[in-house]
C-alpha cells in the first residue's frame, strides 16, 4: 500500500488534472447517449414551443385511429397528438409532456388532455398541466377561454353526445346505433354512424343539435379550441357518412394560443 501511494505522488499534477477532466467528459458523453437512445425526456421544460402555430387555424386531415369493427365494444389503442407541434406522438411517450390530446376508449373516440396530477390520466406524474372542456357553440363563436377550474383532468372524458345512442353528456359526436336517430331507420347503411358535431345537426324528429367545440389546455399550459369535423376518410358531409365508410380517420381544425391568454384570436 505504501508503494502504491508513493507512485501516485510521483505522477505530475498536470497529468492528473488532464486525466480527471477526461473522465468527467467521458461520463457526461455516456449519460447523454443513454438518454438519447432511450428517448427519455428528463426535462421537458427545456423544450421550446413552435410559436409559429399560434393564432392561426390548423387543419388536421385523416388522422388514423381504429378501423376494426370485429369487436366494437373493446377499447382501442389510445392515440396521442401534439397540438403544439401538429403531429402524432407514439404511445411510448404517454408519460411525457410531448402530447396534448388523447383519443381513447371505444373506437379511440373519447378525448382527454395531458395532466400529471390526476391518477386516472394517461400522463399521470409526467408534469402535464392539461385538461379538457366542451361547449355547445360553433367553433368561430368560441372566443373566451374558460377558467382553469372548468377543465376536466381525467381520462376518456368527451365522446358520445346524449342526443344519440350511448350518450355520455355533451359530446363531440352523436352515435346513431340503429340509424333511426338522424334518419328514419330504413337504410341499414345509416346504422352505426358517428356524426361529428362540428356543425349543427338536424336529427329525424326535427331537433337541431347545436355545434360543439372542444377546448383544451395543453400539457404546457397553452390553450386550444378544436372543431371535430369527421371520422370518415375524405368524407365531410353527414349525408355521405355510412356504416361502411372507412373510419376512424379524424379530421379537425384547431387554434392554439399561448398560456396567459384570455381570448382565442386569429391573426
Amino acid at each position: 500500500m505504501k508503494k502504491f501511494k508513493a507512485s501516485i505522488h510521483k505522477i505530475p499534477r498536470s497529468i492528473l488534472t488532464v486525466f480527471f477532466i477526461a473522465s468527467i467528459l467521458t461520463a457526461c458523453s455516456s449519460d447523454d447517449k443513454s438518454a438519447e437512445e432511450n428517448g427519455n425526456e428528463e426535462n421537458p421544460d427545456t423544450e421550446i414551443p413552435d410559436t409559429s402555430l399560434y393564432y392561426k387555424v390548423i387543419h388536421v386531415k385523416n388522422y388514423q385511429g381504429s378501423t376494426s369493427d370485429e369487436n366494437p365494444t373493446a377499447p382501442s389503442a389510445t392515440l396521442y397528438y401534439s397540438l403544439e407541434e401538429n403531429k402524432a406522438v407514439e404511445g411510448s411517450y404517454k408519460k411525457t409532456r410531448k402530447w396534448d390530446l388523447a383519443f381513447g376508449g371505444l373506437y379511440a373516440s373519447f378525448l382527454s388532455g395531458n395532466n400529471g396530477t390526476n391518477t386516472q390520466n394517461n400522463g399521470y406524474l409526467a408534469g402535464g398541466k392539461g385538461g379538457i372542456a366542451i361547449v355547445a357553440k360553433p367553433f368561430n363563436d368560441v372566443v373566451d377561454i374558460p377558467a382553469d377550474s372548468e377543465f376536466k383532468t381525467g381520462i376518456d372524458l368527451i365522446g358520445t353526445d346524449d342526443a344519440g345512442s350511448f350518450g355520455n353528456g355533451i359530446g363531440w359526436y352523436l352515435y346513431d346505433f340503429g340509424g333511426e336517430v338522424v334518419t328514419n331507420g330504413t337504410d341499414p347503411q345509416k346504422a352505426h354512424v358517428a356524426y361529428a358535431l362540428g356543425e349543427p345537426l338536424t336529427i329525424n324528429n326535427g331537433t337541431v343539435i347545436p355545434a360543439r367545440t372542444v377546448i383544451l389546455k395543453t400539457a404546457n399550459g397553452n390553450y386550444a379550441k378544436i372543431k371535430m369535423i369527421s371520422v370518415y376518410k375524405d368524407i365531410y358531409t353527414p349525408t355521405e357518412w355510412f356504416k361502411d365508410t372507412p373510419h376512424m380517420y379524424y379530421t379537425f381544425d384547431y387554434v392554439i394560443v399561448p398560456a396567459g391568454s384570455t381570448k382565442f384570436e386569429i391573426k
Side-chain angles (χ1 to χ4, degrees):
M1 181 64 69
K2 291 182 179 179
K3 292 182 179 179
F4 179 72
K5 288 184 177 179
S7 65
I8 290 180
H9 287 301
K10 291 180 180 179
I11 299 175
R13 185 179 299 274
S14 60
I15 295 177
L16 288 174
T17 302
V18 170
F19 177 77
F20 179 70
I21 294 174
S23 298
I24 293 175
L25 292 176
T26 301
C28 291
S29 175
S30 176
D31 289 344
D32 289 345
K33 182 179 179 182
S34 176
E36 181 179 353
E37 287 176 346
N38 293 333
N40 186 20
E41 188 185 55
E42 294 292 342
N43 187 7
D45 292 320
T46 61
E47 291 188 359
I48 301 174
D50 183 359
T51 57
S52 67
L53 296 179
Y54 290 165
Y55 305 115
K56 61 180 64 175
V57 178
I58 308 298
H59 183 68
V60 179
K61 181 179 179 180
N62 292 335
Y63 173 44
Q64 188 173 359
S66 170
T67 58
S68 174
D69 295 312
E70 294 179 1
N71 190 7
T73 60
S76 303
T78 300
L79 307 173
Y80 300 94
Y81 202 88
S82 170
L83 300 183
E84 294 189 353
E85 296 188 55
N86 188 24
K87 68 178 184 180
V89 176
E90 293 182 4
S92 60
Y93 288 102
K94 76 174 184 177
K95 293 299 184 183
T96 72
R97 284 162 51 182
K98 287 182 177 291
W99 61 274
D100 303 304
L101 178 64
F103 296 73
L106 184 67
Y107 281 103
S109 66
F110 280 73
L111 310 180
S112 55
N114 184 345
N115 186 275
T117 63
N118 190 308
T119 59
Q120 302 301 311
N121 193 277
N122 291 298
Y124 178 55
L125 295 181
K129 305 173 184 177
I132 198 167
I134 189 169
V135 293
K137 288 183 178 181
F139 182 76
N140 290 338
D141 291 350
V142 175
V143 177
D144 296 320
I145 296 173
D148 284 349
S149 60
E150 298 296 316
F151 291 93
K152 297 180 180 180
T153 60
I155 188 173
D156 302 342
L157 295 171
I158 297 175
T160 49
D161 192 88
D162 278 343
S165 310
F166 312 116
N168 190 41
I170 297 178
W172 69 266
Y173 74 99
L174 182 155
Y175 179 60
D176 193 348
F177 178 82
E180 71 279 352
V181 176
V182 178
T183 59
N184 60 15
T186 60
D187 184 356
Q189 282 297 312
K190 295 301 285 185
H192 304 292
V193 172
Y195 293 85
L197 296 174
E199 298 288 345
L201 178 69
T202 302
I203 61 177
N204 188 43
N205 66 8
T207 301
V208 177
I209 309 301
R212 316 299 201 198
T213 299
V214 175
I215 304 177
L216 190 85
K217 186 177 183 182
T218 73
N220 290 320
N222 300 311
Y223 298 99
K225 64 174 181 177
I226 307 169
K227 176 182 180 179
M228 301 300 296
I229 297 171
S230 175
V231 302
Y232 297 99
K233 188 176 182 180
D234 296 322
I235 307 295
Y236 313 109
T237 306
T239 56
E240 298 178 9
W241 294 338
F242 298 100
K243 176 182 177 181
D244 294 335
T245 307
H247 58 279
M248 307 285 281
Y249 291 84
Y250 301 101
T251 294
F252 56 95
D253 288 340
Y254 71 92
V255 171
I256 188 168
V257 297
S261 301
T262 60
K263 305 284 185 182
F264 286 111
E265 299 179 87
I266 298 175
K267 298 180 180 180

